[in-house]
Amino acid sequence: MNIDHTPSESIRGLSEAVAQARLKAEGFNELPRPDRRTPLRIVLEVLREPMLALLLGGGFIYLVLGDLKEALILLVFASMSVLITVVQETRTERVLEALRDLTSPRALVIRDGARKRIAGREVVRGDIVVLSEGDRVPADAMLLQGRDMQADESLLTGESVPVRKLASGDHPAGIARPGGDDLPYVYSGALIVRGSGIAEVRATGPRSEIGKIGQSLYMVETEPPRLQAQTARLVRLSAIGGAVVSVAAVVLYGVFRGRWLDAVLNGITIGMSMLPEEFPVVLTVFMAMGAWRISRARVLTRRAAAIETLGSATVLCTDKTGTLTQNRMSIVELRLRSGDVFRPGEAPMSPVGFRELATYGLFASAPEPFDPMEKAFHDFAQAHRAGHEGEPGPEWKLVRTYGLRPELLAMTQLWQPDERKVAFVAAAKGAPEAIAILCRLDAAERTAIRQAVDAMADEGLRVLGVAKASHAESPWPESQRDFQFEFIGLVGLADPLRPSVPAAVSECRSAGIRVVMITGDYPVTARAIARQAGFDDGELLTGENIDRLQDSELTRRTRTASVFARIMPEQKLRIVQALKADGQIVAMTGDGVNDAPSLKAAHIGVAMGGRGTDVAREASSIVLLDDDFGSIVTAIRLGRRIYDNLRKAMGFIFAVHVPIAGLALLPLVFGLPIIFSPIHIAFLEMIIDPVCSLVFEAETEEDAVMRRPPRQPAEPLFSWWLIGWSLLQGALTFALVAGIFVIALQRGMPEDEVRALSFFSLVFAIISLIFLNRSFSTSLITALRRPNATLAWILLTIIIILGLSLLWPWLSSLFRFGPLHLDDLTVTVAAGFAVLVILELLKPLWRVRLRS
């Protein structure tokens, strides 16, 4: 079909001067870019951490005292902390930047009466744009001229079926809403799937429908991460308590011992021992490692803190088009005039009638289609080898196309099988009632067709009728009504469900997560997809219903609703906010621009990376790179695993800080030799940090992780049972190591040897706590069977460093360690073993509470 794209003489478009002036005044036709965190900004944020200030303060005091070696060691530890954080955060920023599509689509405009191809970002209000099949609309516009045009507006409406466009001579003041047939408006981001036209741009950039949704994102505040808030509060309280104790220690040490610089160092040591700064550090690294681990399942984490929240999600809101479904139309049912039905996949397509129905449906479609439904006819014909004496070959010639019209929603294509033959073949497809009119069916036949259409529509199918005719000679009729059509049958099309969806929905339900659908599609279609996916048989609410509900009533209705249909973007946002108001932890999946506000408002926004838009990805916390809804289950499982392992790590940190702080305070209280200096505390931190962020993170999930309900939204990370268990571990460790320290002093052991003996005993006790906390739900023997290569490497590294601290004189002098004999080393190992055995025997008393 040849279409004349030449504009009328009256359409000259803007002049270049006016276009450039508007571009300068109104800005480029693009969405504003979010702020990007630079490495310098990240460094400044890291420098505000209290532990870093303590390390730098200790290093400065050592410089004043002339101890360059210890000063440099502390500064190296501080630099490593900054470097690790900057690398992780910068990598995240680079991933976000790479994810954003920087290319601007090209646009064909008419300026000064001539066509000109320009970048889409340079289109301005008032420009005349030329649109053809396959073009992406560059801006919101009103159609001035059009020929059989259809547009896919699913990015804005969530509906996969294209809508018809009609030109209009009217010039309304504003741009109407997307969706609906026979309107003269086209929208930025929509795809022209059929026909051609000329349109006048009415809104660009942030003033377009896409832009308005993007702008509304700035009005929606992202839910703050709960764990981050909890850990920050705990660190603040610990910092205040540690500061009070440290200042008191400095004053007491200076008054009674007289060495004020040593008093300040001792105060810094106590402050470092009491400040659990590992909490935010480990939380950050844990989430970063979790993001890396989850990325191997083709899931990109944009905000790492959302991973643990996903593991506690109670409601998963999902879009239909492109999320549950494949966002492509497919033929799922053929129904002949006789009433016989064929469904692909159930049996071979043997009857001739079904092949004829598929063949003429193909002939009524464009040879190179953009329309999703016409692509479905081509795909079906290829899969089932449908065709009229084979596929149309070079000898078949399309000689005439009769397009859709508002008064007759059908189209006809006229083919000439062979140039030597005068006979032509006509194939028509369209709305069943329109095809019935073309075939001149009587009332009884129309009733039978209407009943068949209703039955197919109840299954959520888009139904088209197909007819055939022959024409003996040219000239051809002026209207498709003049052919003598014969009705062949009905074709049912649907956007097919993704194969992984039913299993994913079932696993979500077993994990206590309620799945609901929020879609812009029709109720019947939405209900059919929900039934295929295995949703709960709950209430269905439409956008019209929601408009009549107050917020409180909507919150109540969301408790029983499983499907929301014919929903507009602002209504999606209301639904998410109603669920949140009901105390739910909400995860929202989607791919279109219309999903972006609700993605940002949800606790966890999950965007589709392949078909998803830039706006949806920018608003989300997590992106499924392969667009597989089943990947959301992987993310949920990993989220729960990460939360479990995070509790283990946090409990371990709590337990370890008890003996560290106790051993730092013990000499001051009882006038004994100082055991630890900042260098010892910094070394212990270098053990604790990798253990928490690597060893515990690498632990496999607990049994039945996906067969237990989500944790309560208000449940704190640090429950009283976890705190009590951690304090018990720390108190026992402190009692044993302090006992070794005091007994060694009483037996006259040199101070350097006592320091080494106490330090080694503490390190081996910490190793015992690592093994103890690997699992809350199983015994030590069962946990040892779980592979954890990271643990082996960490333990090997610790043992090598401990060995060097005894055998390498430079390191021994740095730590001020004296030599240890075999019997001394036996005592240190025995202390660690005793801690492990005693606590393992007590573990069953806490197991049920810790696992819940």
Side-chain angles (χ1 to χ4, degrees), residues 94-116:
R94 283 202 304 267
V95 170
L96 303 187
E97 193 70 14
L99 185 63
R100 186 181 177 90
D101 183 8
L102 297 178
T103 58
S104 175
R106 307 287 288 174
L108 182 61
V109 300
I110 301 174
R111 288 183 180 174
D112 292 318
R115 297 182 182 210
K116 183 178 182 181

Side-chain angles (χ1 to χ4, degrees), residues 391-724:
E391 293 293 334
E395 70 277 8
W396 283 71
K397 181 181 179 182
L398 179 62
V399 295
R400 177 76 184 267
T401 295
Y402 300 85
L404 290 167
R405 292 292 181 268
E407 67 276 6
L408 185 66
L409 299 179
M411 65 170 294
T412 299
Q413 297 206 134
L414 191 62
W415 294 82
Q416 184 178 11
D418 192 324
E419 291 184 357
R420 293 169 297 178
K421 297 180 180 179
V422 180
F424 299 94
V425 175
K429 76 175 191 308
E433 60 273 17
I435 297 298
I437 292 173
L438 290 178
C439 295
R440 301 175 177 85
L441 300 180
D442 58 31
E445 290 175 312
R446 292 190 186 191
T447 299
I449 290 176
R450 185 165 54 251
Q451 291 173 347
V453 170
D454 291 342
M456 296 171 73
D458 286 342
E459 297 298 320
L461 304 184
R462 173 89 168 190
V463 185
L464 296 177
V466 177
K468 67 177 182 178
S470 60
H471 187 71
E473 58 185 15
S474 59
W476 313 302
E478 288 298 320
S479 170
Q480 53 187 325
R481 294 174 183 268
D482 298 329
F483 289 99
Q484 298 298 314
F485 278 109
E486 176 186 350
F487 183 76
I488 304 176
L490 301 172
V491 178
L493 299 99
D495 185 2
L497 195 71
R498 292 180 180 272
S500 62
V501 167
V505 171
S506 176
E507 192 162 2
C508 285
R509 293 175 64 181
S510 69
I513 301 170
R514 187 162 64 97
V515 184
V516 300
M517 180 197 299
I518 306 176
T519 179
D521 215 334
Y522 292 93
V524 171
T525 305
R527 176 67 82 184
I529 291 295
R531 186 165 54 248
Q532 295 172 32
F535 278 43
D536 291 328
D537 189 19
E539 184 181 4
L540 186 147
L541 290 178
T542 66
E544 185 178 354
N545 299 143
I546 290 175
D547 281 340
R548 294 196 295 265
L549 297 177
Q550 298 293 329
D551 289 345
S552 58
E553 178 64 15
L554 178 59
T555 298
R556 188 185 65 80
R557 297 285 290 276
T558 57
R559 296 170 187 166
T560 57
S562 61
V563 177
F564 298 86
R566 301 302 288 167
I567 301 298
M568 298 300 293
E570 61 272 15
Q571 293 171 333
K572 288 188 178 185
L573 185 58
R574 278 194 69 196
I575 294 168
V576 170
Q577 291 171 336
L579 289 166
K580 290 170 65 177
D582 195 35
Q584 305 294 331
I585 300 296
V586 182
M588 170 74 190
T589 70
D591 63 347
V593 174
N594 60 317
D595 299 320
S598 51
L599 284 172
K600 186 173 182 180
H603 294 99
I604 316 105
V606 184
M608 300 296 165
R611 291 185 175 89
T613 60
D614 285 343
V615 176
R617 290 195 294 262
E618 292 290 350
S620 66
S621 306
I622 293 174
V623 179
L624 305 184
L625 297 178
D626 56 4
D627 284 5
D628 185 357
F629 180 80
S631 297
I632 196 70
V633 178
T634 301
I636 291 172
R637 183 184 296 108
L638 282 172
R640 292 190 173 192
R641 166 183 164 175
I642 288 168
Y643 181 77
D644 286 346
N645 290 341
L646 188 60
R647 292 182 73 216
K648 299 170 188 175
M650 296 301 191
F652 170 77
I653 293 172
F654 226 111
V656 166
H657 272 275
V658 173
I660 293 177
L663 292 171
L665 286 169
L666 180 66
L668 182 63
V669 175
F670 293 98
L672 301 175
I674 301 299
I675 308 177
F676 297 149
S677 66
I679 194 71
H680 299 102
I681 302 298
F683 175 76
L684 289 173
E685 300 294 343
M686 290 299 109
I687 295 177
I688 297 170
D689 283 349
V691 164
C692 292
S693 59
L694 298 178
V695 173
F696 286 112
E697 191 280 332
E699 285 294 327
T700 56
E701 62 257 23
E702 298 284 333
D703 296 335
V705 68
M706 289 298 286
R707 295 194 299 274
R708 68 183 189 219
R711 64 185 176 93
Q712 292 298 319
E715 177 188 333
L717 175 66
F718 304 98
S719 65
W720 287 112
W721 286 96
L722 179 61
I723 293 174

